[in-house]
């Protein structure tokens, strides 16, 4: 493979550099909320400090996509209940007058929209490095690391890397995506030097274990692996995208570049659509993934080979499982293996149970009973319809999702599926995904 | 399972008992040839004795099916060349005036037809038990064992057992059948006491090893396993037939009883018919079996599941492989797995080679490349036609048979196959076999 020099395509740097105006406006907003937070914090003797975080504070935000985090550092001596109470009270007080609400990570925190910008007010314990008491305690150390160890030029590299990752669809730490976080991008640039060096690292990536492509220790806590929540598929897609980019670096990679779409295959896709109750995206996607995994297992055990599966969701009340089958119709007869004839009781039971129905009963070379019988369900769509009508509830996926499917799930394929996708953007996106090549797999 | 008493159905004993006239006529023939053999043997100083063997000498022959063996015992001091020379010279001299020829086992011997009866004149070494020098040396010991240890009643039991085994299709030590020999029947009755006791033993048979249902040590040489050449399938069929017989013992089991025939399935059978050069049945069947095994492996690896296969032959110049497929048509698209993307060279090669042709290229959860492509051959009959046109020669079966198939093999199915079977008894028999249940698998 020939790789081009460190060239960044014309326009990419501009695309990834916020304007002076944006920076100034954000700085004013941050200062305003930070000041209010400090005042609110001062009312509680347990507060120790208020520090700024998020991509804005670190100087690694992309235009229009700044995160503003305000960390309220609390005494490590207080218990969890008090920790949460003080954290939320400070957050609410500081964002009074703005649309705001309670969000949940390991602990609850306050999210508010201030002058068009999302601001998070997050409590953490004021601890020494390594003495972590809550998940947020590392964050001020992350901020410090990025601010002091990355040069201004490298911060641009982080922004290029983030934009590139977004463009090729591997950015985002939520469970739906299982992709790279902003902090992972910062650590990668810190480790490899520049945007292009990060990509160069990935094109020659070596797997760290037979079932694990990537490991990425947190410099602030070496025992923590930042790649733990990144799927192998995402890493593999970054590898392929990096190879394609270094071969021919174009601005399109930063703007949104996907693999070739194969619309002809849409006619092969079978979907199960259903509505369900709302929950947080993390919980919803966890349940959807778990259920899809069980469903795939059932489909395969029934003899239908699957090519590819996908999940689509509006992230609120509607979702769909999409299946691109390799085999959508099985042979009308099936062979079943019984016990060896010398297992007398089992053999007699097998014969009593099956020989009436069988189309042929014989013994194989090993002395095992074998039968040919008519298959109950030849078509995958029939199998899925039966699953949806009730079997799905017993199959061991998420009870919430299984119950929702048993209640209102529909198996659709062909034109009805395409028509539904025309009305629903999220379904259309899923349908496009499942029939699209992975970026970087096409020749040239 | 309820088993009836030791009842032998009416007519079975008569069926298995030669007439006094037959016995007398055979005795005269044997005496005539034995006398000539003794005279011929006397001309060679290396001959020690002439002894009678075969089912006639043992009193275990079925009406019209007597074997007459005359063993010429030779000095253990002579070499193999002289052993064969003297053996053949004695045989030819003793059968002068009758149609006769040379046959091969471990050593050549003389076979002649004397007054409608086949007589074998077989050389062996005059050794003590255990000092075996040729395969035939044990035979006089077998004769002695049966003559002295089996009562007259038990000899009838041996004949009943042989007739039963013939009737249910498990008798015959030739490689085509891989069934029970006459001597195996004698040893079984000796061991278990009677015909019915042998069957009772088989209905509760326990496997001797995970891949071996039966062992049957030769009482004359315990290291020799008489069951070694008996296939598990044959043993299993005897087990099922014994269970069916003991449940309802009818004369039909002795006259020829097979499992239910399923003529509807004949339409599913695909055959490869071909002609080949003549050879001994043992060699021919060995080659046919080996080739069918390789062919089955190739078919399965191509993705077509097989239900059952059979070989049919006229034992001279025409044979056929018969295949009852479970899957006769695969999906039009197939999925193929490539290397992990981190195996850089292999991944690049895989993509360069496949992505043009692919209908879809993506990475799976494990980071492995995957493609969907159009399948070359969807129908099993097309696959077989391509095999027959040349691939078969490379597949590693018997070169003689593979070359014969490549030269004149034909893939036929449906009506043409049924028409061919109408003209050819051996093909019709094979076609019946492959669509017939194993005896004893039907309820009641």
């Amino acid at each position: 493979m020939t790789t081009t020099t460190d060239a960044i395509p014309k326009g990419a740097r501009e695309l990834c550099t916020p304007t002076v105006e944006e920076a100034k406006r954000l700085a004013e907003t941050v200062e305003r909320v930070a000041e209010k937070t400090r005042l609110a914090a001062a009312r509680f003797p347990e507060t120790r400090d208020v520090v700024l975080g998020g991509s804005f504070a670190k100087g690694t935000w992309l235009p229009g996509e700044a995160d503003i985090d305000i960390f309220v550092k609390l005494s490590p001596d207080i218990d969890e209940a008090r920790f949460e109470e003080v954290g939320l009270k400070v957050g609410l007080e500081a964002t009074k007058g703005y649309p705001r609400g309670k969000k949940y990570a390991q602990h609850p925190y306050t999210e508010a929209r201030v002058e068009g910008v999302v601001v998070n007010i997050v409590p953490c314990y004021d601890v020494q490095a390594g003495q972590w008491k809550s998940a947020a305690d590392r964050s001020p150390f992350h901020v410090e690391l990025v601010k002091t160890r990355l040069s201004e030029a490298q911060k641009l590299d982080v922004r290029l890397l983030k934009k590139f990752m977004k463009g090729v669809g591997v950015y985002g730490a939520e469970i739906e995506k299982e992709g790279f976080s902003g902090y992972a991008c910062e650590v990668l640039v810190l480790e490899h030097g520049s945007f292009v060096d990060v990509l160069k690292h990935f094109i020659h990536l070596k797997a760290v274990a037979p079932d694990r492509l990537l490991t990425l220790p947190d410099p602030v806590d070496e025992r923590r692996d930042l790649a733990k929540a990144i799927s192998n598929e995402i890493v593999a897609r970054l590898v392929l995208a990096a190879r394609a980019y270094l071969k021919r670096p174009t601005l399109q990679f930063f703007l949104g570049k996907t693999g070739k779409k194969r619309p002809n295959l849409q006619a092969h896709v079978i979907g199960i659509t259903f509505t369900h109750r709302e929950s947080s995206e993390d919980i919803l996607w966890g349940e959807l993934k778990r259920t899809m995994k069980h469903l795939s297992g059932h489909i395969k055990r029934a003899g239908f080979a699957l090519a590819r599966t996908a999940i689509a969701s509006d992230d609120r009340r509607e979702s769909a499982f999409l299946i691109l089958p390799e085999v959508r119709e099985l042979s009308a007869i099936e062979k079943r293996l019984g016990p060896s004839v010398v297992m007398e009781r089992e053999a007699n039971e097998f014969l009593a149970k099956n020989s009436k129905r069988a189309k042929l009963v014989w013994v194989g070379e090993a002395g095992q009973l074998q039968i040919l019988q008519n298959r109950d369900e030849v078509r995958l769509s029939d199998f899925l319809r039966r699953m949806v009508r009730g079997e799905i509830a017993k199959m061991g996926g998420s009870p919430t999702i299984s119950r929702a499917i048993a209640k209102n799930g529909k198996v659709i394929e062909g034109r009805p599926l395409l028509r539904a996708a025309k009305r629903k953007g999220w379904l259309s996106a899923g349908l496009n995904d499942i029939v699209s090549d992975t970026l970087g797999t096409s020749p040239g």
Side-chain angles (χ1 to χ4, degrees), chain A residues 367-382:
Chain A
Q368 258 190 316
L369 289 167
Q370 325 213 3
I371 62 169
L372 269 191
Q373 62 183 26
N374 282 324
R375 199 185 292 275
D376 283 332
E377 274 157 344
V378 168
R379 293 167 54 85
L380 175 54
S381 49
D382 292 337

Side-chain angles (χ1 to χ4, degrees), chain A residues 38-51:
Chain A
R38 277 183 214 108
L39 285 173
R43 290 170 45 200
F44 296 93
E46 297 95 336
T47 62
R48 294 272 184 83
D49 201 357
V50 170
V51 299

Side-chain angles (χ1 to χ4, degrees), chain A residues 409-426:
Chain A
K410 280 187 191 59
V411 176
I412 55 172
E413 56 185 323
R415 288 176 163 281
L417 179 60
L418 297 179
R419 273 200 301 273
K422 268 197 183 152
R423 293 192 310 271
K424 297 172 185 191
W426 58 271

Side-chain angles (χ1 to χ4, degrees), chain A residues 133-410:
Chain A
K133 292 193 66 173
S134 86
D137 301 354
R138 290 181 193 83
S139 301
F141 292 87
H142 294 162
V143 174
E144 202 52 32
L145 179 86
V146 172
K147 282 169 76 173
T148 58
R149 301 267 303 277
L150 284 179
S151 68
E152 285 309 306
Q154 284 178 312
K155 288 179 185 172
L156 174 55
D157 280 301
V158 170
R159 295 197 301 263
L160 285 163
L161 184 58
K162 282 185 183 179
K163 192 77 179 167
F164 178 88
M165 285 193 178
K166 278 175 193 258
V168 303
V170 302
Y171 188 83
E174 60 273 26
I175 183 175
E176 168 184 355
K177 175 65 79 180
E178 294 179 280
F180 288 83
S181 66
Y183 181 55
C185 290
E186 291 156 355
V187 170
L188 284 168
V189 169
L190 188 63
E191 206 168 275
H192 301 289
S194 73
F195 163 65
V196 170
D197 288 326
V198 171
L199 296 196
K200 283 184 174 169
H201 170 74
F202 273 96
I203 66 172
H204 302 307
L205 190 73
K206 296 272 167 278
V208 291
D211 59 347
R212 196 79 211 134
L213 296 186
L214 185 67
T215 185
L216 188 61
D218 182 352
V220 157
D221 180 354
E222 293 282 337
R223 286 168 311 175
R224 196 167 157 246
D225 184 1
L226 298 172
K228 206 179 156 191
I230 303 172
S231 72
N232 283 328
E233 181 184 342
I234 285 287
V235 175
R237 287 169 58 191
L238 177 59
V239 168
L240 291 168
R243 286 183 191 147
Y245 175 82
L246 290 180
K247 231 171 164 181
R248 208 160 87 80
T250 65
L251 194 61
Q252 196 58 47
F253 284 88
F254 299 91
L255 295 172
K257 189 167 169 65
T258 56
K260 190 171 169 186
K261 197 182 141 190
R262 316 274 192 165
N264 289 344
L265 282 177
Q266 284 185 336
H268 291 270
V269 177
I270 304 179
I272 300 176
T273 57
F274 52 97
T275 62
H276 47 79
R277 68 172 187 223
E278 280 190 59
S279 58
S280 83
E281 284 179 31
D282 268 19
I283 289 172
L284 173 65
W285 276 91
E287 288 183 330
L288 289 171
K289 289 196 167 193
R290 186 151 64 93
T291 309
M292 178 87 247
K293 202 170 172 178
H294 279 269
L295 181 62
S296 297
H298 274 250
I299 293 170
K300 283 179 203 156
R301 278 191 295 278
F304 299 96
L306 297 181
R308 197 181 192 183
T309 61
I311 301 169
S313 180
D314 72 351
D315 294 338
R316 301 183 66 241
R317 295 187 29 87
E318 281 192 90
S319 299
F321 292 141
L322 299 174
I323 294 159
L324 180 59
E326 183 187 357
V327 171
R328 54 192 302 120
E329 194 162 327
L330 297 173
S331 63
I333 51 175
E334 67 177 331
K335 178 175 167 174
R336 281 186 51 205
L337 286 182
S340 164
V341 298
V342 298
M343 298 173 71
E344 195 177 350
R345 192 173 51 79
E346 293 86 343
N348 285 336
E349 280 170 11
F350 182 84
L351 289 173
K353 206 168 145 190
N354 293 296
S355 54
K356 264 252 170 65
R357 184 189 170 192
K359 288 172 79 79
L360 192 64
V361 193
W362 74 102
V363 285
E365 278 173 44
Q368 258 190 316
L369 289 167
Q370 325 213 3
I371 62 169
L372 269 191
Q373 62 183 26
N374 282 324
R375 199 185 292 275
D376 283 332
E377 274 157 344
V378 168
R379 293 167 54 85
L380 175 54
S381 49
D382 292 337
F383 173 81
L384 292 176
R385 280 191 187 98
R386 186 166 56 77
M387 289 294 291
V388 162
R389 276 200 305 272
E391 293 261 322
I392 209 156
K394 290 176 254 162
M395 86 183 179
S398 142
T400 317
I401 298 299
S402 300
R403 271 199 299 267
I405 293 176
K407 212 165 154 190
N408 65 61
K410 280 187 191 59

